[in-house]
Every structure is written in structure tokens, then in C-alpha cells.
Amino acid sequence: MQRSIVLIWSILFIILMSLVPAHAETNTHNNLYVVKAGDTLPHIANQFDTTIEELKLTNGLQSDSLFIDQKLWVPAIHEVTAGDTLQEIASMYHSSVETIKKVNGLPSDELYTGQILKVTPKKLTMQGQHILMTKEDFKDWLSNNQFNRDIRIIQQHHTWLPSYRQFKGANHFQMLQSMESFHKKEMGWNNIAQNITTFPDGKVAVSRPFNLAPEGSIGPKANSVGLTIENIGNFDLGHDVMTKEQQDTIVYITALLCIKFGLTPSIDSITYHHWWNLQTKERVLDNGPDYNVKTCPGSNFFGGNSTNDAIKHFYPLVSQKINEILATME
């Protein structure tokens, strides 16, 4: 009886492995597929026995376009070895225990040596073009993607309205869609203005594709080579007090962007909306008259909105975080 069971599992293993593309076999413990010239989503979906929709959800893809050297999480086949746990397998393949159990119909966390598991990457939360992530998910998303636009400026903004009062804890997409609708209908822009939005709970959303320059009153000089971060809240003195979760996310994702695009924190690489003249669209730093500049990203944004405030309070935090992240990558 025992020999029969072993024989059955051996046959099953051979059949399953024959269905896995050769590329996946050589990357059993690394299910990141690197996009090559000529690759398409339908081709990759077929190669790894998945769907275009699954690839989009697991990788936060806002379109069908791919770029050479872009990395995509794909399904993998894992043979359980002695000592394996679901948590370890999930971590190995950018998945989750719940996902593995659901895909494989596992009633419990118990595994046995020789067991064959199909491991699918965890999905990101998306509605339309909007991708909602933790700051750690954003790190993976940013690292895996390639962009075809020169990016040299990170813009910091606050929304002013909506403020913390409008954030209800789970209405991220509602707020994003409302801002997108306002920007299109009222401002006449072709999309939501910002590339990135941060929330009081520390979540981060990517909306406007990075390959599209942001829109808004800061002007074409900053926008053409810029990425816009809108931080939900009114951070003028006497209004919203930024949560620690949002503070940590703003510093963390700014550091990640600096690493990705080779930027050193300075007034030339990380800019505040307050430093740009609304009429001329020129950068005036601290010399703009009150009637021609906004307080954005807030007169109490990390200690203030002046260049001295940024140099003293914000840039050191970003620089420190850059060093911490790079240390984990060595």
C-alpha cells in the first residue's frame, strides 16, 4: 500500500513538473520573471499557467505595456522538503499562507515531505488605475518596475482638503476616485494630478502612472521631470497633526524614490510646493510673496515649509532612511 502511494505521488510530480515552463524549473526558489524583448502579458500568462488579470493584480500593472528588465511575480511549483513551513514558503515566493492554502485546498498548516504545492504570489489591492499598498509592498513594486521618463524631482504636497476629517479608515479608494473626478471635471486635467498619495494610516497609493508627468499649479519646470506625492491632510499650523504612521511612510517612500532614481536629498531633488510661484511657475524658494505661493505641503510639515525646515528636519530623516534601506540590500 505504501509503495502504491509513493508511486502515485511520483507520477503526479512528473506530470506537474512537465506542465511548468523550463524557465520556472531553473528558478524554483525565485519566482520573479524578468521581461525580455518581445514579451507580452498573454505570452507570459500562458507560459506560467496563469491569466493576464492575475498578473496585473499580483504586480500592480496599470496597463498591458511591459518594459525590458521589468520584473513580474509569477506562479511557481514547490516540492515540500523536511522542515518546510507554510510561512517560510509564502515568504520565499512573495505569497501568503492563506493564498497557498486556498490554491491547494489545504485544510490545515500541516505539510509533508514530497508534497507538491502550486504557489501563487499575493495580490495587490487595485481599483481601476489606483493601487493601494503598504509601504513595504511599495518597495517591491518600485524595485520591480522600469520607467521611460527622466525623473529628477520629488514634489511634496498636502491635500488641505480632503483632510483627516474626511478619512474614515477604509475609504482610500473613495477619496482617490473623488480627487480624480475633481481633477478631471473641475481642473480640466486628463487624469488625477498626483502619482502617489499617502494616507493617515500609513498606506500608500500609486494612481497616475509614473511615466506620465504630474499636473498642477507647480508648473511645467517641476512637473516635466517630477513625481508628485500628495499627502492626505491639512498640515498647516493649528490643523491636522500628522500620524506617526504617515510620517514613517512619507520618509520611507521618499527614500525609496531617491534610491530608485539616484537622487541625493536637497532643495534641488526634493521640493515643496511652497517654493514655486503660482503666476510665473518659477522656483522662488523662500522669497515668494504670500499672495503668489501656497503654504503646501503645510506650514507644519515636518517642522515647517521653508527650505531651512526641509534641510534641518526632513532631509536628514530621508538620508538616514536611505542608509538603512541600502544596508539591508547589501
Side-chain angles (χ1 to χ4, degrees):
M1 181 67 178
Q2 185 175 3
R3 289 183 179 179
S4 299
I5 294 174
V6 172
L7 179 61
I8 291 171
W9 274 109
S10 297
I11 294 171
L12 179 59
F13 176 73
I14 292 171
I15 293 172
L16 283 170
M17 291 309 294
S18 69
L19 297 175
V20 181
H23 181 91
E25 289 183 21
T26 60
N27 291 279
T28 304
H29 298 290
N30 184 357
N31 58 330
L32 266 180
Y33 177 81
V34 181
V35 174
K36 306 183 298 294
D39 275 341
T40 64
L41 280 181
H43 170 75
I44 296 171
N46 182 65
Q47 184 176 356
F48 290 97
D49 190 28
T50 186
T51 66
I52 294 173
E53 185 63 22
E54 289 290 311
L55 286 175
K56 285 188 169 184
L57 286 173
T58 54
N59 293 285
L61 303 182
Q62 296 169 298
S63 73
D64 292 348
S65 298
L66 296 175
F67 295 89
I68 295 174
D69 292 332
Q70 182 177 358
K71 297 176 183 178
L72 300 175
W73 297 108
V74 295
I77 298 296
H78 179 83
E79 181 183 5
V80 176
T81 59
D84 276 352
T85 66
L86 282 178
Q87 187 58 58
E88 289 170 344
I89 296 170
S91 177
M92 186 184 300
Y93 296 106
H94 194 69
S95 186
S96 68
V97 171
E98 294 73 19
T99 298
I100 297 173
K101 291 174 74 172
K102 181 178 180 180
V103 169
N104 294 278
L106 302 180
S108 70
D109 291 357
E110 186 176 349
L111 300 173
Y112 56 85
T113 302
Q115 187 175 8
I116 305 301
L117 299 175
K118 180 175 181 180
V119 187
T120 58
K122 61 185 178 182
K123 299 176 183 177
L124 293 174
T125 305
M126 295 182 67
Q127 284 191 19
Q129 69 174 339
H130 306 293
I131 316 164
L132 185 66
M133 298 174 269
T134 64
K135 64 181 187 292
E136 293 79 15
D137 286 334
F138 177 79
K139 178 177 182 288
D140 289 329
W141 180 89
L142 183 65
S143 175
N144 291 344
N145 275 280
Q146 297 291 326
F147 308 105
N148 62 2
R149 187 168 68 89
D150 184 23
I151 295 172
R152 287 183 270 122
I153 297 176
I154 303 168
Q155 302 176 22
Q156 294 289 349
H157 299 257
H158 72 162
T159 54
W160 189 75
L161 188 68
S163 66
Y164 274 25
R165 185 172 299 178
Q166 282 72 45
F167 181 65
K168 305 302 179 183
N171 62 331
H172 307 80
F173 286 115
Q174 181 183 354
M175 296 181 80
L176 291 168
Q177 289 161 355
S178 294
M179 284 187 281
E180 180 182 354
S181 177
F182 178 80
H183 290 170
K184 287 179 175 179
K185 295 179 180 179
E186 302 299 326
M187 303 305 295
W189 299 330
N190 65 6
N191 203 334
I192 192 170
Q194 71 264 28
N195 304 100
I196 301 171
T197 307
T198 73
F199 293 88
D201 62 355
K203 292 287 182 66
V204 53
V206 171
S207 297
R208 189 181 182 93
F210 278 26
N211 287 324
L212 293 180
E215 295 186 83
S217 58
I218 199 168
K221 284 190 177 180
N223 288 337
S224 61
V225 293
L227 278 178
T228 293
I229 302 176
E230 280 280 6
N231 302 298
I232 296 291
N234 179 356
F235 301 120
D236 284 336
L237 283 165
H239 294 275
D240 294 330
V241 177
M242 190 184 293
T243 64
K244 184 180 185 304
E245 291 80 5
Q246 191 171 18
Q247 288 179 28
D248 291 346
T249 288
I250 293 170
V251 171
Y252 190 76
I253 68 170
T254 303
L256 290 172
L257 292 169
C258 286
I259 294 171
K260 179 71 173 182
F261 301 111
L263 306 176
T264 300
S266 73
I267 60 172
D268 295 320
S269 61
I270 303 173
T271 193
Y272 289 3
H273 192 173
H274 180 60
W275 304 343
W276 296 79
N277 189 297
L278 295 173
Q279 302 301 318
T280 66
K281 313 301 182 185
E282 297 289 337
R283 190 178 73 163
V284 292
L285 298 177
D286 300 320
N287 302 314
D290 290 344
Y291 56 84
N292 266 347
V293 296
K294 289 188 173 182
T295 60
C296 181
S299 54
N300 198 31
F301 180 81
F302 287 88
N305 58 7
S306 71
T307 56
N308 286 333
D309 293 323
I311 292 168
K312 182 178 180 180
H313 300 293
F314 189 57
Y315 298 159
L317 294 176
V318 176
S319 296
Q320 179 182 351
K321 187 58 65 176
I322 288 173
N323 292 333
E324 291 175 5
I325 294 171
L326 290 176
T328 66
M329 297 167 62
E330 294 177 353

